[in-house]
Amino acid sequence: MIFGALPLDQCRDAILAHAVRVGDQLFKKGRHLSDSDLALLAAAGHGSVVVARLEAGDVGEDEAAAGLAQAIAGANIRVDPAFTGRANLFAESDGVLRLDPAVIDAVNEVDETITLATLDRYKPVMAGQMVATVKIIPFSVPQKMLDRVCAIAKASTHIDVAPFRPRRIGLIQTTLPTLKDSVLTKTTEVTVKRLAELNCSLMIERRCRHDAVELTRTIADCLAAGAELLLVLGASAITDRLDVIPAAIQASGGTVEQFGMPVDPGNLLLLASIAGKPIIGLPGCARSPKQNGVDWVLQRLIADLPVTARDIRHMGVGGLLGEILSRPQPRLGAVPQGQPANIGAVILAAGKSSRMGQNKLLLDVEGKPLICHVVDRALTLDLSEIVVVLGHQPEKVQQALAGRPVRFVMAKDYEIGMSASLKAGLAALSPALTAAFVLLGDMPMVSPALLRRMLAAYNPVEGRSIVLPVHGGKRGNPVLWDRRYFADMQNLAGDVGARHLIGEYAADVVEIASEDAGIFRDIDTPQSYAALQRGAAS
């Protein structure tokens, strides 16, 4: 690759290395210069620009990123289209992330221009969560170098997700006169929630005295009832391999494989098996919802990943969990790890629908109101919060969205136009949010896949703080805005949106290609609704 300042007559089809302002336009980094671009540069007084030119044997940054991502992606992994030399990998199911750190290191050792970053091995992940990213640093890399890293990826352990597999899980709690029933009940509730995060349910629950003979009978009862994985929590902590719980397991024909683990809290965990079915002797910390060593073992077992004594003994690095204040609850609305935290959405649903002649947001589309399609697409992103701005017929719109986890805010002066709705929605957002989508309530054809790609592209550290979709060279909706632009939006007036800010902050904009024209299709006339209905029926 050739890189440097070149005269304009040598820059046709070259890649612009740095943003250049040309009159009222901003030519952004990465732009492939056309003849018309060069003419505008010359007219603006530029005699040369800093560019990159690919040579024979070079592979462009996006193609290279996509190639490595596809080579390393394994089962239950989705690779989204590359942009700006980056290709992101996402989990396609809830489960445990598998990878070989040595392979990741080997890829990154080939050359500084090719990078691969991942979440930790054996990390629990959710469907749609980013698990890895490939970034090509320059505008291109040599084909031979790309072939080398792809060969490493293909010949070795891929990045994949072992899905959580629902199974019959049993819980036995032993009792002593000093142990309150309320403690046992609370422990059951905590266990139910812990398993729910792994797509599992507590199917069998038993209680018995803290006695090896009685516990042996209770274990047999649970196994006869079909328990595939058994959790045993003693009224008194296990202190030795000859204690009540291990003694009952051995009396049941089982084998104690490991007692103790280098994870705190969780030191007193016991791992055993009976006829191939795993048994976990739970430490006392399992009564708490806080993360502990039990989680690490449960996650792997429910994902059908074997856990051996050696595996547990190798959990010491990172095993000090005592300072973690609270257990992560991804199913309560937190944004998946690997994506920017605290992203929200404002959905504008206040307009009078004057061109439609009736409230367009309530029109039926494939069996549900049009506004529900927009909200349901936003809900697939696991955003921190979604605010729906009401105005015209607010009760009816709110009723249409009943049961959905959104907040409503009223734009009292909604008749003024879009600016009033936008300002009301932004003002209602939590101060903790770092960014927010602005979605139009009458645009139901924006795909969840596009929204996920926009979310993945947002990175203000890398100068991508305004994210918008394009199709056929034309920009559309929605737009993902960093919080720093909210103050400017509060100064809007009339029936206008914030499009002018995109021009003012052009250097902060990243465009994401949309595969269809859904980013332009607002349903605001009887004709557009009829066309939508015809498309849905075809």
Side-chain angles (χ1 to χ4, degrees), residues 141-424:
V141 294
Q143 180 71 60
K144 290 183 178 179
M145 186 184 297
L146 178 62
D147 290 344
R148 183 179 171 192
V149 294
C150 288
I152 293 171
K154 291 177 180 178
S156 309
T157 303
H158 291 165
I159 298 171
D160 66 14
V161 174
F164 293 132
R165 181 177 70 82
R167 66 198 64 213
R168 292 182 63 84
I169 297 179
L171 170 66
I172 300 174
Q173 296 189 72
T174 67
T175 64
L176 288 171
T178 55
L179 187 62
K180 296 180 179 179
D181 286 343
S182 60
V183 173
L184 301 174
T185 300
K186 181 64 175 179
T187 299
T188 300
E189 294 173 355
V190 167
T191 303
V192 167
K193 292 179 180 179
R194 179 169 269 121
L195 295 175
E197 293 176 3
L198 307 179
N199 294 346
C200 285
S201 301
L202 182 61
M203 307 296 291
I204 303 164
E205 184 185 6
R206 300 286 188 273
R207 297 177 184 178
C208 69
R209 287 189 301 110
H210 192 70
D211 172 82
V213 174
E214 187 167 342
L215 179 56
T216 300
R217 288 196 295 265
T218 307
I219 289 174
D221 176 46
C222 288
L223 294 177
E228 301 173 274
L229 191 160
L230 192 56
L231 310 176
V232 183
L233 181 51
S236 179
I238 307 170
T239 58
D240 191 271
R241 277 178 169 261
L242 299 178
D243 212 336
V244 170
I245 292 177
I249 290 171
Q250 291 174 328
S252 301
T255 302
V256 174
E257 297 164 6
Q258 173 72 18
F259 172 52
M261 70 184 308
V263 177
D264 183 26
N267 290 140
L268 300 183
L269 180 140
L270 179 142
L271 179 65
S273 64
I274 300 175
K277 296 179 180 179
I279 314 292
I280 303 178
L282 300 176
C285 60
R287 298 190 190 277
S288 166
K290 293 182 180 180
Q291 188 183 44
N292 59 74
V294 174
D295 295 291
W296 289 13
V297 175
L298 264 180
Q299 289 156 4
R300 296 198 204 182
L301 290 176
I302 293 176
D304 277 335
L305 299 178
V307 180
T308 66
R310 184 175 185 272
D311 291 329
I312 291 178
R313 291 169 183 170
H314 283 223
M315 291 180 177
V317 176
L320 181 57
L321 308 178
E323 296 303 315
I324 294 178
L325 297 180
S326 63
R327 176 180 174 77
Q329 299 285 343
R331 298 185 185 282
L332 300 183
V335 175
Q337 294 183 26
Q339 295 181 358
N342 295 327
I343 308 295
V346 172
I347 299 179
L348 306 183
K352 295 179 64 176
S353 305
S354 55
R355 297 176 63 193
M356 182 66 72
Q358 58 181 308
N359 195 330
K360 58 188 175 183
L361 303 182
L362 305 177
L363 294 173
D364 180 81
V365 178
E366 296 184 320
K368 62 183 179 182
L370 185 149
I371 183 62
C372 294
H373 289 270
V374 178
V375 171
D376 289 348
R377 280 161 169 74
L379 287 171
T380 66
L381 302 179
D382 290 318
L383 299 171
S384 295
E385 67 174 328
I386 297 175
V387 171
V388 178
V389 183
L390 304 175
H392 179 59
Q393 297 182 335
E395 297 84 2
K396 292 183 177 180
V397 176
Q398 192 165 352
Q399 183 178 3
L401 295 171
R404 289 171 169 82
V406 300
R407 287 197 298 113
F408 297 98
V409 61
M410 185 69 185
K412 297 180 180 179
D413 51 353
Y414 70 93
E415 294 187 5
I416 294 175
M418 183 184 294
S419 65
S421 298
L422 181 58
K423 290 192 287 186

Side-chain angles (χ1 to χ4, degrees), residues 28 30 39 50 57 109 163 184-185 220 235 313 358 399 425 434 450 458:
K28 295 188 65 177
V50 179
E109 284 282 357
L184 301 174
T185 300
R313 291 169 183 170
Q358 58 181 308
Q399 183 178 3
T434 59
L450 176 63
Y458 168 74

